[in-house]
Amino acid sequence: MKKKYIETIAKPKPEEYEFENIILTTIDKVLSWARYSSLWPLTFSTACCAIEMMAAASAHHDMSRFGMEVYRATPRQADLMIVAGTITYKMAPRVKRLYDQMPEPKYVIAMGACATSGGPFHMSYGVMNGVDKIIPVDIYIPGCPPKPEALLDGIMKLREKIKDDRHLTRKVNETIKVLKNMRKK
Ligand code: SF4
């Protein structure tokens, strides 16, 4: 009985090779899989929402299960900016510069009411009403402050978005478009 079992394991039928050992995919899908499985956030925050962001990385909430516990200290090694806090007009150029220094493809989460719309300070002359005035935002998380669970939910939504993203295809199409326009001129 034991010998028969070993023979079955050692000699799979040809159709098993065909259907179980071959995976067909595209480079874009593999890259998207790698990206959403290991997002590296930038070590960055501007106000109180940051406390909840830090709590999300703690052992209790365990953000590392998404492969993203490594907060990077430089924008050049980060592909996710979690805007956690109020953005004042004085701070805005620094936020924009940090975003510009991040390599493509990069993603932004606006965490909390302040980053989304100015929050409780939206009438203040010194506060920007939403970080999307200076950089593109992928995911908005409501709340003042949002709980770590809300941030994790936002991260999961972002992962879904990256999963469907075809960055390479998009870039190739953009390049073809630029080349066509150059030819017309
Ligand atoms: S949304 Fe609330 S908790 Fe977050 S930075 Fe603004 S005031 Fe602070």
mmCIF file of all heavy atoms in Angstrom, residues 143-181:
data_model
loop_
_atom_site.group_PDB
_atom_site.id
_atom_site.type_symbol
_atom_site.label_atom_id
_atom_site.label_comp_id
_atom_site.label_asym_id
_atom_site.label_seq_id
_atom_site.Cartn_x
_atom_site.Cartn_y
_atom_site.Cartn_z
ATOM 1 N N GLY A 143 -12.758 60.388 9.025
ATOM 2 C CA GLY A 143 -12.611 60.230 10.474
ATOM 3 C C GLY A 143 -11.684 61.270 11.070
ATOM 4 O O GLY A 143 -10.850 61.827 10.376
ATOM 5 N N CYS A 144 -11.884 61.521 12.371
ATOM 6 C CA CYS A 144 -11.041 62.499 13.058
ATOM 7 C C CYS A 144 -10.750 62.022 14.479
ATOM 8 O O CYS A 144 -11.432 62.421 15.400
ATOM 9 C CB CYS A 144 -11.722 63.866 13.089
ATOM 10 S SG CYS A 144 -10.797 65.123 13.989
ATOM 11 N N PRO A 145 -9.750 61.202 14.681
ATOM 12 C CA PRO A 145 -8.934 60.547 13.664
ATOM 13 C C PRO A 145 -9.562 59.214 13.254
ATOM 14 O O PRO A 145 -10.332 58.637 14.018
ATOM 15 C CB PRO A 145 -7.629 60.285 14.428
ATOM 16 C CG PRO A 145 -8.074 60.033 15.838
ATOM 17 C CD PRO A 145 -9.274 60.914 16.059
ATOM 18 N N PRO A 146 -9.206 58.677 12.076
ATOM 19 C CA PRO A 146 -9.653 57.323 11.742
ATOM 20 C C PRO A 146 -8.936 56.318 12.644
ATOM 21 O O PRO A 146 -7.778 56.535 13.003
ATOM 22 C CB PRO A 146 -9.201 57.133 10.291
ATOM 23 C CG PRO A 146 -8.663 58.436 9.842
ATOM 24 C CD PRO A 146 -8.353 59.247 11.036
ATOM 25 N N LYS A 147 -9.623 55.240 12.978
ATOM 26 C CA LYS A 147 -8.979 54.219 13.830
ATOM 27 C C LYS A 147 -7.971 53.412 12.983
ATOM 28 O O LYS A 147 -8.066 53.417 11.754
ATOM 29 C CB LYS A 147 -10.046 53.281 14.397
ATOM 30 C CG LYS A 147 -10.927 53.970 15.433
ATOM 31 C CD LYS A 147 -12.109 53.128 15.788
ATOM 32 C CE LYS A 147 -11.723 51.983 16.698
ATOM 33 N NZ LYS A 147 -12.874 51.173 17.111
ATOM 34 N N PRO A 148 -7.053 52.712 13.639
ATOM 35 C CA PRO A 148 -6.116 51.872 12.868
ATOM 36 C C PRO A 148 -6.833 50.900 11.945
ATOM 37 O O PRO A 148 -6.371 50.628 10.837
ATOM 38 C CB PRO A 148 -5.340 51.120 13.956
ATOM 39 C CG PRO A 148 -5.430 51.989 15.152
ATOM 40 C CD PRO A 148 -6.744 52.683 15.076
ATOM 41 N N GLU A 149 -8.001 50.407 12.374
ATOM 42 C CA GLU A 149 -8.764 49.474 11.525
ATOM 43 C C GLU A 149 -9.186 50.157 10.222
ATOM 44 O O GLU A 149 -9.212 49.531 9.156
ATOM 45 C CB GLU A 149 -10.029 48.970 12.244
ATOM 46 C CG GLU A 149 -9.767 48.039 13.400
ATOM 47 C CD GLU A 149 -9.544 48.769 14.716
ATOM 48 O OE1 GLU A 149 -9.287 49.988 14.711
ATOM 49 O OE2 GLU A 149 -9.627 48.107 15.766
ATOM 50 N N ALA A 150 -9.537 51.451 10.322
ATOM 51 C CA ALA A 150 -9.943 52.197 9.124
ATOM 52 C C ALA A 150 -8.758 52.349 8.181
ATOM 53 O O ALA A 150 -8.909 52.241 6.954
ATOM 54 C CB ALA A 150 -10.488 53.564 9.519
ATOM 55 N N LEU A 151 -7.581 52.598 8.747
ATOM 56 C CA LEU A 151 -6.383 52.700 7.898
ATOM 57 C C LEU A 151 -6.103 51.363 7.212
ATOM 58 O O LEU A 151 -5.810 51.319 6.009
ATOM 59 C CB LEU A 151 -5.172 53.142 8.733
ATOM 60 C CG LEU A 151 -3.841 53.204 7.971
ATOM 61 C CD1 LEU A 151 -3.912 54.179 6.800
ATOM 62 C CD2 LEU A 151 -2.685 53.597 8.896
ATOM 63 N N LEU A 152 -6.234 50.281 7.975
ATOM 64 C CA LEU A 152 -5.997 48.961 7.381
ATOM 65 C C LEU A 152 -7.004 48.681 6.257
ATOM 66 O O LEU A 152 -6.651 48.109 5.230
ATOM 67 C CB LEU A 152 -6.075 47.864 8.454
ATOM 68 C CG LEU A 152 -4.963 47.890 9.515
ATOM 69 C CD1 LEU A 152 -5.158 46.773 10.518
ATOM 70 C CD2 LEU A 152 -3.580 47.787 8.888
ATOM 71 N N ASP A 153 -8.244 49.134 6.460
ATOM 72 C CA ASP A 153 -9.267 48.969 5.418
ATOM 73 C C ASP A 153 -8.873 49.756 4.161
ATOM 74 O O ASP A 153 -8.991 49.252 3.041
ATOM 75 C CB ASP A 153 -10.624 49.446 5.959
ATOM 76 C CG ASP A 153 -11.734 49.187 4.967
ATOM 77 O OD1 ASP A 153 -11.883 48.042 4.538
ATOM 78 O OD2 ASP A 153 -12.442 50.143 4.600
ATOM 79 N N GLY A 154 -8.384 50.985 4.382
ATOM 80 C CA GLY A 154 -7.927 51.804 3.256
ATOM 81 C C GLY A 154 -6.770 51.144 2.525
ATOM 82 O O GLY A 154 -6.713 51.166 1.289
ATOM 83 N N ILE A 155 -5.862 50.560 3.287
ATOM 84 C CA ILE A 155 -4.708 49.881 2.679
ATOM 85 C C ILE A 155 -5.179 48.692 1.837
ATOM 86 O O ILE A 155 -4.683 48.457 0.733
ATOM 87 C CB ILE A 155 -3.723 49.427 3.776
ATOM 88 C CG1 ILE A 155 -2.993 50.654 4.354
ATOM 89 C CG2 ILE A 155 -2.713 48.421 3.239
ATOM 90 C CD1 ILE A 155 -2.264 50.392 5.646
ATOM 91 N N MET A 156 -6.164 47.961 2.356
ATOM 92 C CA MET A 156 -6.686 46.817 1.597
ATOM 93 C C MET A 156 -7.366 47.267 0.299
ATOM 94 O O MET A 156 -7.261 46.617 -0.746
ATOM 95 C CB MET A 156 -7.646 45.998 2.459
ATOM 96 C CG MET A 156 -6.889 45.137 3.463
ATOM 97 S SD MET A 156 -7.848 44.646 4.869
ATOM 98 C CE MET A 156 -8.894 43.426 4.171
ATOM 99 N N LYS A 157 -8.049 48.418 0.371
ATOM 100 C CA LYS A 157 -8.678 48.977 -0.851
ATOM 101 C C LYS A 157 -7.585 49.371 -1.852
ATOM 102 O O LYS A 157 -7.730 49.151 -3.061
ATOM 103 C CB LYS A 157 -9.519 50.218 -0.498
ATOM 104 C CG LYS A 157 -10.699 49.942 0.404
ATOM 105 C CD LYS A 157 -11.962 49.868 -0.398
ATOM 106 C CE LYS A 157 -13.229 49.650 0.387
ATOM 107 N NZ LYS A 157 -13.214 49.022 1.678
ATOM 108 N N LEU A 158 -6.509 49.960 -1.328
ATOM 109 C CA LEU A 158 -5.400 50.353 -2.213
ATOM 110 C C LEU A 158 -4.776 49.119 -2.860
ATOM 111 O O LEU A 158 -4.443 49.122 -4.048
ATOM 112 C CB LEU A 158 -4.350 51.140 -1.416
ATOM 113 C CG LEU A 158 -3.123 51.589 -2.219
ATOM 114 C CD1 LEU A 158 -3.528 52.587 -3.307
ATOM 115 C CD2 LEU A 158 -2.066 52.225 -1.312
ATOM 116 N N ARG A 159 -4.638 48.052 -2.086
ATOM 117 C CA ARG A 159 -4.071 46.808 -2.628
ATOM 118 C C ARG A 159 -4.939 46.289 -3.784
ATOM 119 O O ARG A 159 -4.429 45.827 -4.798
ATOM 120 C CB ARG A 159 -3.973 45.756 -1.524
ATOM 121 C CG ARG A 159 -2.759 45.951 -0.616
ATOM 122 C CD ARG A 159 -2.923 45.201 0.681
ATOM 123 N NE ARG A 159 -3.188 43.796 0.490
ATOM 124 C CZ ARG A 159 -2.257 42.848 0.431
ATOM 125 N NH1 ARG A 159 -1.003 43.155 0.600
ATOM 126 N NH2 ARG A 159 -2.590 41.590 0.252
ATOM 127 N N GLU A 160 -6.259 46.392 -3.627
ATOM 128 C CA GLU A 160 -7.169 45.966 -4.701
ATOM 129 C C GLU A 160 -6.952 46.818 -5.953
ATOM 130 O O GLU A 160 -6.955 46.320 -7.074
ATOM 131 C CB GLU A 160 -8.628 46.098 -4.242
ATOM 132 C CG GLU A 160 -9.049 45.061 -3.215
ATOM 133 C CD GLU A 160 -8.919 43.643 -3.745
ATOM 134 O OE1 GLU A 160 -9.308 43.397 -4.897
ATOM 135 O OE2 GLU A 160 -8.402 42.782 -3.004
ATOM 136 N N LYS A 161 -6.758 48.113 -5.717
ATOM 137 C CA LYS A 161 -6.554 49.043 -6.838
ATOM 138 C C LYS A 161 -5.249 48.705 -7.579
ATOM 139 O O LYS A 161 -5.215 48.683 -8.807
ATOM 140 C CB LYS A 161 -6.493 50.472 -6.277
ATOM 141 C CG LYS A 161 -6.577 51.529 -7.317
ATOM 142 C CD LYS A 161 -6.635 52.916 -6.713
ATOM 143 C CE LYS A 161 -6.554 53.939 -7.840
ATOM 144 N NZ LYS A 161 -6.566 55.311 -7.364
ATOM 145 N N ILE A 162 -4.184 48.438 -6.812
ATOM 146 C CA ILE A 162 -2.883 48.126 -7.431
ATOM 147 C C ILE A 162 -2.962 46.789 -8.176
ATOM 148 O O ILE A 162 -2.381 46.616 -9.236
ATOM 149 C CB ILE A 162 -1.763 48.096 -6.367
ATOM 150 C CG1 ILE A 162 -1.633 49.467 -5.692
ATOM 151 C CG2 ILE A 162 -0.433 47.709 -6.995
ATOM 152 C CD1 ILE A 162 -0.719 49.474 -4.486
ATOM 153 N N LYS A 163 -3.743 45.867 -7.616
ATOM 154 C CA LYS A 163 -3.912 44.547 -8.230
ATOM 155 C C LYS A 163 -4.423 44.678 -9.668
ATOM 156 O O LYS A 163 -3.993 43.969 -10.571
ATOM 157 C CB LYS A 163 -4.930 43.759 -7.398
ATOM 158 C CG LYS A 163 -4.776 42.281 -7.430
ATOM 159 C CD LYS A 163 -5.824 41.712 -6.498
ATOM 160 C CE LYS A 163 -5.602 40.283 -6.213
ATOM 161 N NZ LYS A 163 -6.583 39.774 -5.247
ATOM 162 N N ASP A 164 -5.352 45.616 -9.874
ATOM 163 C CA ASP A 164 -5.950 45.808 -11.205
ATOM 164 C C ASP A 164 -5.140 46.762 -12.074
ATOM 165 O O ASP A 164 -5.474 46.970 -13.240
ATOM 166 C CB ASP A 164 -7.382 46.362 -11.060
ATOM 167 C CG ASP A 164 -8.277 45.365 -10.348
ATOM 168 O OD1 ASP A 164 -7.986 44.171 -10.444
ATOM 169 O OD2 ASP A 164 -9.248 45.788 -9.697
ATOM 170 N N ASP A 165 -4.111 47.375 -11.481
ATOM 171 C CA ASP A 165 -3.330 48.358 -12.231
ATOM 172 C C ASP A 165 -2.436 47.663 -13.256
ATOM 173 O O ASP A 165 -1.840 46.631 -12.966
ATOM 174 C CB ASP A 165 -2.466 49.183 -11.262
ATOM 175 C CG ASP A 165 -1.798 50.348 -11.963
ATOM 176 O OD1 ASP A 165 -2.344 50.795 -12.987
ATOM 177 O OD2 ASP A 165 -0.745 50.822 -11.502
ATOM 178 N N ARG A 166 -2.365 48.215 -14.463
ATOM 179 C CA ARG A 166 -1.458 47.698 -15.495
ATOM 180 C C ARG A 166 -0.464 48.807 -15.826
ATOM 181 O O ARG A 166 -0.553 49.452 -16.872
ATOM 182 C CB ARG A 166 -2.266 47.262 -16.734
ATOM 183 C CG ARG A 166 -3.246 46.144 -16.445
ATOM 184 C CD ARG A 166 -2.544 44.810 -16.214
ATOM 185 N NE ARG A 166 -3.430 43.809 -15.655
ATOM 186 C CZ ARG A 166 -3.500 43.509 -14.363
ATOM 187 N NH1 ARG A 166 -2.737 44.129 -13.490
ATOM 188 N NH2 ARG A 166 -4.318 42.579 -13.921
ATOM 189 N N HIS A 167 0.466 49.004 -14.909
ATOM 190 C CA HIS A 167 1.390 50.136 -14.998
ATOM 191 C C HIS A 167 2.227 50.081 -16.280
ATOM 192 O O HIS A 167 2.355 51.076 -16.999
ATOM 193 C CB HIS A 167 2.305 50.135 -13.769
ATOM 194 C CG HIS A 167 3.276 51.263 -13.742
ATOM 195 N ND1 HIS A 167 2.896 52.554 -13.418
ATOM 196 C CD2 HIS A 167 4.598 51.325 -14.024
ATOM 197 C CE1 HIS A 167 3.949 53.351 -13.491
ATOM 198 N NE2 HIS A 167 4.987 52.632 -13.850
ATOM 199 N N LEU A 168 2.765 48.896 -16.561
ATOM 200 C CA LEU A 168 3.649 48.741 -17.729
ATOM 201 C C LEU A 168 2.890 49.033 -19.026
ATOM 202 O O LEU A 168 3.346 49.799 -19.874
ATOM 203 C CB LEU A 168 4.205 47.317 -17.740
ATOM 204 C CG LEU A 168 5.544 47.113 -18.400
ATOM 205 C CD1 LEU A 168 6.614 47.921 -17.709
ATOM 206 C CD2 LEU A 168 5.909 45.632 -18.375
ATOM 207 N N THR A 169 1.700 48.434 -19.134
ATOM 208 C CA THR A 169 0.878 48.640 -20.335
ATOM 209 C C THR A 169 0.554 50.123 -20.506
ATOM 210 O O THR A 169 0.626 50.665 -21.607
ATOM 211 C CB THR A 169 -0.446 47.841 -20.211
ATOM 212 O OG1 THR A 169 -0.117 46.514 -19.801
ATOM 213 C CG2 THR A 169 -1.202 47.793 -21.501
ATOM 214 N N ARG A 170 0.208 50.762 -19.370
ATOM 215 C CA ARG A 170 -0.147 52.185 -19.414
ATOM 216 C C ARG A 170 1.034 53.019 -19.912
ATOM 217 O O ARG A 170 0.900 53.900 -20.744
ATOM 218 C CB ARG A 170 -0.584 52.624 -18.009
ATOM 219 C CG ARG A 170 -1.376 53.887 -17.993
ATOM 220 C CD ARG A 170 -2.248 54.037 -16.756
ATOM 221 N NE ARG A 170 -1.875 53.266 -15.608
ATOM 222 C CZ ARG A 170 -1.019 53.671 -14.673
ATOM 223 N NH1 ARG A 170 -0.448 54.829 -14.781
ATOM 224 N NH2 ARG A 170 -0.746 52.909 -13.628
ATOM 225 N N LYS A 171 2.224 52.706 -19.364
ATOM 226 C CA LYS A 171 3.426 53.471 -19.743
ATOM 227 C C LYS A 171 3.758 53.278 -21.217
ATOM 228 O O LYS A 171 4.128 54.219 -21.912
ATOM 229 C CB LYS A 171 4.622 53.039 -18.877
ATOM 230 C CG LYS A 171 4.557 53.555 -17.457
ATOM 231 C CD LYS A 171 4.867 55.039 -17.416
ATOM 232 C CE LYS A 171 4.342 55.672 -16.146
ATOM 233 N NZ LYS A 171 4.308 57.110 -16.170
ATOM 234 N N VAL A 172 3.628 52.023 -21.698
ATOM 235 C CA VAL A 172 3.906 51.747 -23.114
ATOM 236 C C VAL A 172 2.933 52.534 -23.992
ATOM 237 O O VAL A 172 3.323 53.186 -24.973
ATOM 238 C CB VAL A 172 3.807 50.229 -23.402
ATOM 239 C CG1 VAL A 172 3.824 49.955 -24.896
ATOM 240 C CG2 VAL A 172 4.953 49.484 -22.724
ATOM 241 N N ASN A 173 1.626 52.513 -23.621
ATOM 242 C CA ASN A 173 0.619 53.251 -24.399
ATOM 243 C C ASN A 173 0.902 54.747 -24.395
ATOM 244 O O ASN A 173 0.757 55.415 -25.423
ATOM 245 C CB ASN A 173 -0.780 52.981 -23.831
ATOM 246 C CG ASN A 173 -1.233 51.566 -24.148
ATOM 247 O OD1 ASN A 173 -0.691 50.924 -25.045
ATOM 248 N ND2 ASN A 173 -2.195 51.067 -23.402
ATOM 249 N N GLU A 174 1.324 55.263 -23.224
ATOM 250 C CA GLU A 174 1.645 56.699 -23.129
ATOM 251 C C GLU A 174 2.816 57.046 -24.050
ATOM 252 O O GLU A 174 2.806 58.060 -24.740
ATOM 253 C CB GLU A 174 2.001 57.063 -21.679
ATOM 254 C CG GLU A 174 0.783 57.282 -20.803
ATOM 255 C CD GLU A 174 1.139 57.434 -19.333
ATOM 256 O OE1 GLU A 174 2.313 57.723 -19.019
ATOM 257 O OE2 GLU A 174 0.238 57.263 -18.505
ATOM 258 N N THR A 175 3.832 56.168 -24.051
ATOM 259 C CA THR A 175 5.011 56.413 -24.902
ATOM 260 C C THR A 175 4.627 56.390 -26.380
ATOM 261 O O THR A 175 5.060 57.242 -27.163
ATOM 262 C CB THR A 175 6.087 55.325 -24.631
ATOM 263 O OG1 THR A 175 6.260 55.214 -23.229
ATOM 264 C CG2 THR A 175 7.405 55.697 -25.257
ATOM 265 N N ILE A 176 3.780 55.410 -26.755
ATOM 266 C CA ILE A 176 3.336 55.329 -28.154
ATOM 267 C C ILE A 176 2.596 56.613 -28.551
ATOM 268 O O ILE A 176 2.803 57.173 -29.626
ATOM 269 C CB ILE A 176 2.433 54.083 -28.360
ATOM 270 C CG1 ILE A 176 3.281 52.809 -28.246
ATOM 271 C CG2 ILE A 176 1.736 54.122 -29.711
ATOM 272 C CD1 ILE A 176 2.497 51.533 -28.189
ATOM 273 N N LYS A 177 1.763 57.097 -27.646
ATOM 274 C CA LYS A 177 0.995 58.330 -27.889
ATOM 275 C C LYS A 177 1.939 59.511 -28.115
ATOM 276 O O LYS A 177 1.768 60.304 -29.051
ATOM 277 C CB LYS A 177 0.103 58.589 -26.670
ATOM 278 C CG LYS A 177 -1.207 59.245 -26.997
ATOM 279 C CD LYS A 177 -2.040 59.283 -25.735
ATOM 280 C CE LYS A 177 -3.293 60.057 -25.916
ATOM 281 N NZ LYS A 177 -4.046 60.129 -24.672
ATOM 282 N N VAL A 178 2.952 59.616 -27.237
ATOM 283 C CA VAL A 178 3.919 60.721 -27.356
ATOM 284 C C VAL A 178 4.664 60.636 -28.685
ATOM 285 O O VAL A 178 4.822 61.629 -29.397
ATOM 286 C CB VAL A 178 4.926 60.689 -26.167
ATOM 287 C CG1 VAL A 178 6.074 61.664 -26.409
ATOM 288 C CG2 VAL A 178 4.224 61.028 -24.861
ATOM 289 N N LEU A 179 5.078 59.412 -29.065
ATOM 290 C CA LEU A 179 5.808 59.230 -30.321
ATOM 291 C C LEU A 179 4.934 59.602 -31.529
ATOM 292 O O LEU A 179 5.410 60.244 -32.479
ATOM 293 C CB LEU A 179 6.295 57.779 -30.448
ATOM 294 C CG LEU A 179 7.425 57.377 -29.486
ATOM 295 C CD1 LEU A 179 7.705 55.901 -29.582
ATOM 296 C CD2 LEU A 179 8.699 58.175 -29.774
ATOM 297 N N LYS A 180 3.661 59.208 -31.471
ATOM 298 C CA LYS A 180 2.727 59.546 -32.573
ATOM 299 C C LYS A 180 2.583 61.050 -32.702
ATOM 300 O O LYS A 180 2.589 61.605 -33.807
ATOM 301 C CB LYS A 180 1.366 58.894 -32.308
ATOM 302 C CG LYS A 180 1.293 57.457 -32.793
ATOM 303 C CD LYS A 180 -0.095 56.905 -32.578
ATOM 304 C CE LYS A 180 -0.154 55.452 -33.034
ATOM 305 N NZ LYS A 180 -1.439 54.843 -32.660
ATOM 306 N N ASN A 181 2.440 61.734 -31.543
ATOM 307 C CA ASN A 181 2.295 63.195 -31.570
ATOM 308 C C ASN A 181 3.547 63.865 -32.123
ATOM 309 O O ASN A 181 3.464 64.849 -32.851
ATOM 310 C CB ASN A 181 2.029 63.721 -30.144
ATOM 311 C CG ASN A 181 0.606 63.423 -29.725
ATOM 312 O OD1 ASN A 181 -0.242 63.149 -30.564
ATOM 313 N ND2 ASN A 181 0.339 63.469 -28.434
#
